[in-house]
Amino acid sequence: MKAFITGISGFVGYYLANKLVSEGYDVLGISRAEPKRKATGVEYILCDINDRGKMEKIITDSRPDHVYHLAGPAFIPLSYEKPNIAYGTIVDGTLNLYEIIRKHRLSCKVLYVGSADVYGHGDGTPLHEGSPIVPMNPYAGAKACAEIISKQFYHTYGIQIVSARPFNHTGPYQSVDFVCSNFAKQIALMEKNGESTLSVGNIEVERDFLDVRDVVDAYYLLMQCGTPGEVYNVCSGTCTSLKNIISWLFMNSSIQQHQIFVAPEKLRKVDAPVRVGNHDALVRDTRWFPKYKIKDTMHELLQYWRDNLEKLEK
């Protein structure tokens, strides 16, 4: 079996590539930037998803059985400053991919990876796939548009597309643009430099966190068992406050006392107080269930940054 991953150089792409190799797939992936780390046994090609000619050649030459569509900017604050990039990559890139599949009548199955950000604030209760779509930022708007395109291409052209709405996920190798990794790196630096102040944004919020390895397991199972034309939340079904994330990180550190500083520049323009998902559909159709506890993931994430800081010094 052949698998094709768009956005393979991203945080999730690395873990997904490793997962697919372990399952016996021949894996090929594209990205605009050279990956910082590569999975063993995977073919990497530099390619912009909007480069129609190059994309067409790669896909028609490889003729994948499964396509995992991850490509697109993931850092929400950047989408406020450059909404054209969010829409151009996520919406136009998705349309470009599907048009190639349609034009060449490829029989591959596709997993479109959207975002739970499409739900907006919600009302604090577990969000299910039928909950209202209220995107509150350009990133979420672009993801919602691409999800609609996915459903339309399934109904109109019969392309076998399953859509995922992942909630927050984290783990080693995640960029410091994202909250858990940012906290972990800061605390690793605090240990190293004998400091005691952690700089944060709004830590009153509660989010539904998963370990990235549970997320890629869900993506793999959705490709095997997910119903084309349907959307699935990928989430734990439980809330974790950022205060708890910070507490778990400090529990695993050597720091005895610390202070919290709320940095105004880290406060988001729009920030839902609580966002938690319902994963009943995912569990029903795939028998997936999370294996990793976020408390343990925080221990691994902190250790990753300790090790990484040492490597950067060498």
Side-chain angles (χ1 to χ4, degrees):
M1 295 283 280
K2 297 179 181 179
F4 177 65
I5 304 173
T6 71
I8 195 171
S9 66
F11 169 54
V12 178
Y14 170 74
Y15 283 94
L16 179 59
N18 276 314
K19 169 69 176 176
L20 293 174
V21 169
S22 75
E23 295 291 343
Y25 279 75
D26 293 326
V27 181
L28 165 67
I30 63 158
S31 62
R32 285 192 298 181
E34 188 68 35
K36 293 180 180 178
R37 64 198 60 82
K38 293 183 178 181
T40 303
V42 174
E43 183 180 356
Y44 291 81
I45 299 176
L46 290 179
C47 177
D48 189 314
I49 195 168
N50 283 317
D51 185 334
R52 179 62 177 266
K54 192 170 183 179
M55 278 283 292
E56 199 155 10
K57 185 175 189 325
I58 292 168
I59 293 173
T60 54
D61 283 353
S62 61
R63 303 191 77 83
D65 301 288
H66 292 161
V67 175
Y68 291 85
H69 180 30
L70 276 60
F75 186 47
I76 291 173
L78 182 62
S79 75
Y80 285 103
E81 300 171 19
K82 299 179 179 179
N84 58 313
I85 292 178
Y87 278 91
T89 305
I90 295 170
V91 178
D92 294 345
T94 298
L95 185 58
N96 193 42
L97 173 65
Y98 295 166
E99 269 291 270
I100 292 168
I101 294 171
R102 181 190 69 82
K103 175 184 173 183
H104 293 277
R105 301 179 184 275
L106 301 179
S107 59
C108 54
K109 188 174 183 180
V110 181
L111 180 71
Y112 165 70
V113 177
S115 171
D117 236 74
V118 300
Y119 292 120
H121 277 178
D123 60 4
T125 61
L127 296 157
H128 57 83
E129 290 80 359
S131 296
I133 300 301
V134 190
M136 303 293 287
N137 57 68
Y139 167 80
K143 284 292 188 181
C145 288
E147 187 181 291
I148 291 171
I149 292 170
S150 300
K151 187 158 286 196
Q152 181 262 303
F153 266 71
Y154 164 71
H155 286 293
T156 307
Y157 304 114
I159 298 175
Q160 301 295 287
I161 304 170
V162 178
S163 294
R165 288 180 190 155
F167 284 64
N168 296 67
H169 41 282
T170 188
Y173 305 119
Q174 190 172 38
S175 164
V176 291
D177 287 337
F178 297 89
V179 65
C180 294
S181 198
N182 186 287
F183 291 163
K185 183 181 180 182
Q186 283 192 70
I187 292 171
L189 282 168
M190 288 162 65
E191 286 182 323
K192 177 178 177 293
N193 299 328
E195 298 169 348
S196 61
T197 302
L198 180 71
S199 175
V200 304
N202 179 10
I203 59 172
E204 301 298 326
V205 300
E206 297 180 25
R207 292 291 181 265
D208 189 323
F209 284 101
L210 278 175
D211 186 292
V212 64
R213 291 163 291 191
D214 281 325
V215 171
V216 299
D217 281 351
Y219 292 172
Y220 174 76
L221 289 171
L222 281 172
M223 186 64 84
Q224 311 305 315
C225 309
T227 302
E230 294 300 317
V231 179
Y232 295 87
N233 285 340
V234 178
C235 57
S236 70
T238 59
C239 260
T240 301
S241 71
L242 291 190
K243 285 184 175 179
N244 276 347
I245 294 291
I246 291 170
S247 176
W248 292 335
L249 286 167
F250 275 117
M251 281 172 56
N252 286 292
S253 78
S254 60
I255 297 167
Q256 299 300 312
Q257 293 184 326
H258 66 271
Q259 297 175 321
I260 301 293
F261 169 70
V262 178
E265 68 275 10
K266 291 186 176 182
L267 296 172
R268 288 191 173 183
K269 295 179 181 179
V270 180
D271 218 357
V274 177
R275 185 183 294 134
V276 60
N278 177 303
H279 61 205
D280 288 353
L282 174 63
V283 173
R284 179 195 67 222
D285 287 3
T286 70
R287 300 293 182 244
W288 170 91
F289 204 76
K291 301 171 185 174
Y292 297 89
K293 295 180 179 178
I294 286 298
K295 186 175 181 179
D296 296 333
T297 305
M298 291 305 101
H299 173 73
E300 291 185 55
L301 188 55
L302 180 59
Q303 189 58 50
Y304 161 74
W305 277 113
R306 286 171 176 149
D307 297 341
N308 202 51
L309 290 177
E310 291 178 6
K311 289 176 183 177
L312 289 174
E313 290 178 347
K314 293 179 181 178

